[in-house]
Amino acid sequence: MRKKSGTVRYTAKQIKAKIARGEDRTNWAKVNATTGARLEASIRADVDDIQGEPDWTQGVMGVPAPKDHINIRIDHDVLEWFKKNGRGYQTLMNNVLRAFAQTRQRGESVKSR
């Protein structure tokens, strides 16, 4: 059985007609009332916005290694902690695992001396 899609498609002409009739969902009064100071404060409050020059000391040149696709079982609370960070939680998990593996590799190289 096929799922019904909730997606509605409009042509460019239909969209222009809807906007002309005032059927868009943008709150233009709110947009027009937003001051420059409020907009700047909103931008400063964005944790994902880079303020100033990025720290390139940890940068790595080159193309990243390809990733392997695996299935893994993770405790629910751990997965929820990563997911609450939003998009990119799998990349974050990969970075945490990489940092852990690198510290272990450094420890192994010190022991072997």
Side-chain angles (χ1 to χ4, degrees):
M1 181 189 318
R2 269 181 84 170
K3 265 188 172 179
K4 284 190 174 182
S5 172
T7 304
V8 179
R9 299 175 192 270
Y10 296 101
T11 65
K13 189 175 181 179
Q14 289 171 319
I15 291 171
K16 286 179 183 176
K18 287 174 81 60
I19 291 171
R21 291 190 305 265
E23 293 182 25
D24 63 338
R25 290 189 261 172
T26 304
N27 184 345
W28 290 110
K30 183 178 178 182
V31 171
N32 293 333
T34 302
T35 64
R38 179 174 276 171
L39 185 59
E40 290 293 328
S42 172
I43 292 169
R44 277 192 303 279
D46 185 359
V47 295
D48 293 329
D49 186 40
I50 297 174
Q51 303 292 321
E53 187 66 26
D55 177 17
W56 295 105
T57 59
Q58 300 296 318
V60 178
M61 284 188 60
V63 178
K67 292 183 168 55
D68 291 330
H69 180 88
I70 65 166
N71 291 329
I72 186 171
R73 298 179 66 80
I74 303 288
D75 291 338
H76 179 76
D77 58 330
V78 173
L79 182 60
E80 287 304 311
W81 185 87
F82 279 100
K83 281 186 170 182
K84 80 177 179 186
N85 290 296
R87 286 186 56 156
Y89 74 92
Q90 290 176 330
T91 301
L92 179 59
M93 292 173 77
N94 188 68
N95 293 343
V96 168
L97 289 168
R98 177 178 303 284
F100 178 82
Q102 287 173 343
T103 60
R104 295 302 168 128
Q105 288 170 346
R106 276 188 233 122
E108 290 170 3
S109 65
V110 171
K111 288 179 188 176
S112 63
R113 289 184 189 169

